[in-house]
Amino acid sequence: MKLFKRKKTNYAKIIVISLAAVAVASAIAFVIYKLVKKYTEELVYDCDDLLDECDDCDALLDDADDDFEEIVEAE
């Protein structure tokens, strides 16, 4: 007769519970991502529309390209 029975670790349960927790966390993250994407699309502007309204944008972009090239050459 054994008085002390050694407990057996059930690795299958540990793995299943861990995978279930990861799946639930992934599902919650996916839902939050979709909600944020849905409600922030209204805030994103089309850059071409903004540039069409600007008369001097081409000159500003050319100046910015020149400045960038000077910085790259200096490095």
Side-chain angles (χ1 to χ4, degrees):
M1 181 170 120
K2 289 187 176 181
L3 295 176
F4 297 103
K5 188 176 183 182
R6 185 170 183 234
K7 288 189 175 184
K8 188 176 175 184
T9 305
N10 195 347
Y11 292 109
K13 278 186 182 178
I14 294 170
I15 293 171
V16 169
I17 291 172
S18 299
L19 290 175
V22 169
V24 169
S26 298
I28 291 171
F30 181 75
V31 169
I32 291 172
Y33 168 76
K34 285 295 189 179
L35 288 173
V36 168
K37 185 177 176 184
K38 177 181 177 182
Y39 289 111
T40 57
E41 282 181 351
E42 300 166 357
L43 301 175
V44 176
Y45 296 109
D46 188 13
C47 293
D48 293 333
D49 292 341
L50 293 175
L51 291 176
D52 289 340
E53 296 172 4
C54 180
D55 296 332
D56 299 326
C57 289
D58 291 332
L60 291 173
L61 290 174
D62 290 338
D63 291 341
D65 287 339
D66 293 340
D67 293 341
F68 178 73
E69 289 174 4
E70 288 174 10
I71 291 170
V72 170
E73 288 173 3
E75 292 177 354

